[in-house]
Amino acid sequence: MTITREQIRELADFQDEKSCAISFYFQPSTPRNKAHKEDTILIKDLVREALRNLESKGKKDCARADMDRILRLSAELRSNGTHAKALFACSAQNIWHEYDLPANLSNTQLFVDRHFHLKPIAHLVGASPLLGVVLVDRQRARIFELRMDELIEREDLFHSLPRRGRSDGFAGYDGGHAQRRVEDEARQHFKNVAEVLKDLLEKGVFEKWILACQDAHRSMLDPQLHSYVSQALIGHFHADLGHISHDEIRTHAQAIVERWQADRRHELVTQALSQARSNGRGVTGLRRVLRSLELGEIQTLLIGETLQSHAIECPGCGHIDAHLVSYCPACGRATQEIVDVGEAILPWVIRRDIETFYVKEDPEFDKVGNIAALLRFRSDNIQPISTAVADELGRAGAAYPGRLRRFASR
Ligand SMILES: [Zn+2]
């Protein structure tokens, strides 16, 4: 089973007061034939280390059953070598979820904590649009959904269109042209496809899409597309609808998505840094980013892959602070130290559906603290607000970020 955004959001909301929430990520090692045994040994080591760690905190028992189950699972994981796996468990709360992932995790990892660790899948929420791949020729159309490395045909999406000529088992939309008025019918066909696309984007079935067709057909579809649909198009590849294979479609589409994401990441980093320099809609550095996060200002979050910063978290109100203070400045409760702030902020980020990109080896980004954000607004720049409201924000802004939203200029 692959994981959905909704499931990731639920995982982000989960908390175990006893800190026995287990997150296990399995990345099959290569070459596969040699590595079976190594994978098993690695998992055994990780489990042993985690249990030793828990024992030192006097709570080995809470994770024992789940750990045993993970060890049993490791034999099964060996045989399914092509997929990576994410597993979230907390036997005390009766939770055990397994998901298949594309085999491109950085490594096999095991965490036991108050929250589930979601960093390896956070990009699936924030920076991966719901993506449609549309194949079209003069007469027919097919729509696929690309979810991670899975390509799924969606016949159901043509339900609003009249269908003819489907006797050959063709799964998409077939306009089935009569011999006469062929040009008119082709135009009507492309118009129908454009309408379906507009509808799908408006309903949020897809957020971005990729077009696959012959060049001649592209010039017939283009004029029919609503401008909003054209803007959501992230790339095109050449395809003969009758002959292209499932794997070819997926490979082309994935290459386009990866290029689009890389371009977007680069553009956003450049924008955030320059906006921060001019005190505009950008901030850099952990302290400032945390503040903007709590104020609900952030539109896009950029985190260095190597960001490893200590901070504190308040178990009462959830406030996270880069100052290692013993008591929460927002509500006064005793704070807990967190070792990986990049992980600790993810529940906030996921809950608010903030677009998130991980930034790799960028010296300029590293210089500003390995974390930055683009803001949808900047609360300290909002004008005009009355003094009374400003006072209220000053007092309660950090604890009640929702109040600021009323003043958000999107
Ligand atoms: Zn607090």
Side-chain angles (χ1 to χ4, degrees):
M1 190 160 94
T2 58
I3 194 162
T4 65
R5 284 186 191 184
E6 209 33 64
Q7 287 161 336
I8 296 176
R9 275 191 209 110
E10 280 171 25
L11 292 169
D13 279 336
F14 180 84
Q15 265 202 57
D16 183 54
E17 283 299 325
K18 295 201 181 92
S19 296
C20 280
I22 295 173
S23 316
F24 174 60
Y25 290 92
F26 171 73
Q27 166 67 21
S29 49
T30 47
R32 252 179 282 148
N33 53 346
K34 266 188 84 178
H36 286 350
K37 207 174 151 200
E38 289 165 33
D39 281 342
T40 316
I41 293 170
L42 174 63
I43 294 170
K44 266 188 192 147
D45 285 349
L46 288 172
V47 165
R48 196 179 307 130
E49 195 190 315
L51 286 174
R52 199 180 301 139
N53 232 321
L54 284 167
E55 196 168 21
S56 73
K57 293 176 194 157
K59 50 184 177 188
K60 187 177 182 175
D61 289 344
C62 74
R64 184 87 239 184
D66 286 331
M67 292 293 183
D68 285 345
R69 201 165 159 188
I70 288 173
L71 287 176
R72 287 200 297 276
L73 186 74
S74 67
E76 189 185 312
L77 290 172
R78 287 190 336 200
S79 52
N80 114 28
T82 54
H83 271 101
K85 192 135 202 149
L87 188 158
F88 305 96
C90 183
S91 54
Q93 300 197 41
N94 224 353
I95 286 177
W96 179 277
H97 298 303
E98 290 177 35
Y99 302 102
D100 286 333
L101 298 176
N104 54 14
L105 301 175
S106 63
N107 49 4
T108 295
Q109 289 176 290
L110 178 66
F111 305 96
V112 187
D113 207 340
R114 213 150 58 86
H115 303 278
F116 290 128
H117 278 228
L118 301 174
K119 193 166 154 187
I121 51 172
H123 66 282
L124 298 176
V125 191
S128 299
L130 300 170
L131 196 87
V133 183
V134 179
L135 274 71
V136 65
D137 65 14
R138 280 176 75 89
Q139 187 170 332
R140 303 184 296 179
R142 301 174 71 179
I143 298 187
F144 297 82
E145 181 184 342
L146 184 69
R147 196 197 291 166
M148 290 192 272
D149 61 348
E150 234 188 325
L151 187 76
I152 305 152
E153 180 144 25
R154 294 288 305 269
E155 287 183 61
D156 56 307
L157 299 179
F158 289 113
H159 61 84
S160 60
L161 296 178
R163 297 212 262 185
R164 284 177 278 161
R166 295 189 61 236
S167 53
D168 57 352
F170 176 72
Y173 162 58
D174 187 341
H177 305 146
Q179 287 296 350
R180 61 198 166 80
R181 293 185 295 129
V182 165
E183 284 311 309
D184 273 359
E185 293 207 359
R187 198 173 304 118
Q188 185 59 45
H189 162 66
F190 286 114
K191 205 173 158 193
N192 287 346
V193 173
E195 280 300 312
V196 168
L197 278 167
K198 177 166 174 278
D199 191 46
L200 293 175
L201 286 162
E202 277 173 358
K203 284 186 183 145
V205 176
F206 298 124
E207 291 158 341
K208 300 286 175 191
W209 66 291
I210 290 170
L211 174 63
C213 65
Q214 295 176 17
D215 293 340
H217 298 149
R218 191 179 176 183
S219 59
M220 293 183 77
L221 178 64
D222 271 347
Q224 308 286 350
L225 294 175
H226 193 271
S227 63
Y228 164 71
V229 178
S230 298
Q231 280 163 24
L233 178 68
I234 64 166
H236 165 259
F237 63 94
H238 185 91
D240 184 338
L241 188 145
H243 295 102
I244 192 163
S245 75
H246 204 83
D247 277 349
E248 285 170 323
I249 300 171
R250 195 183 56 202
T251 308
H252 281 299
Q254 273 174 337
I256 288 173
V257 177
E258 277 162 29
R259 203 162 48 223
W260 176 76
Q261 282 175 331
D263 288 350
R264 184 153 174 78
R265 178 169 51 229
H266 179 74
E267 189 192 312
L268 291 168
V269 169
T270 310
Q271 243 185 65
L273 297 194
S274 93
Q275 286 285 329
R277 254 179 252 123
S278 62
N279 285 326
R281 288 177 46 241
V283 288
T284 54
L286 184 59
R287 270 183 57 196
R288 191 61 184 83
V289 169
L290 285 177
R291 182 164 168 265
S292 292
L293 188 64
E294 293 192 338
L295 289 172
E297 295 174 334
I298 294 182
Q299 178 176 309
T300 304
L301 179 66
L302 304 152
I303 310 180
E305 279 201 329
T306 54
L307 176 75
Q308 280 287 353
S309 233
H310 284 242
I312 58 91
E313 182 182 29
C314 169
C317 68
H319 172 69
I320 299 175
D321 211 305
H323 292 293
L324 304 180
V325 290
S326 311
Y327 295 95
C328 174
C331 78
R333 269 186 68 167
T335 58
Q336 294 178 350
E337 191 170 354
I338 41 183
V339 182
D340 183 355
V341 73
E343 178 64 53
I345 59 176
L346 286 180
W348 286 76
V349 172
I350 290 169
R351 227 175 280 141
R352 291 178 180 191
D353 220 353
I354 294 171
E355 184 182 35
T356 307
F357 285 99
Y358 286 93
V359 182
K360 245 187 250 188
E361 291 158 27
D362 181 331
E364 217 189 326
F365 191 70
D366 203 37
K367 240 186 279 169
V368 300
N370 236 331
I371 188 162
L374 264 177
L375 310 181
R376 56 178 109 240
F377 66 95
R378 198 169 166 132
S379 51
D380 51 9
N381 282 353
I382 290 168
Q383 298 291 338
I385 49 176
S386 75
T387 330
V389 174
D391 281 345
E392 183 196 3
L393 293 179
R395 273 202 315 276
Y400 301 99
R403 293 193 189 189
L404 275 171
R405 294 230 183 103
R406 277 186 284 147
F407 307 102
S409 51
R410 279 175 184 248

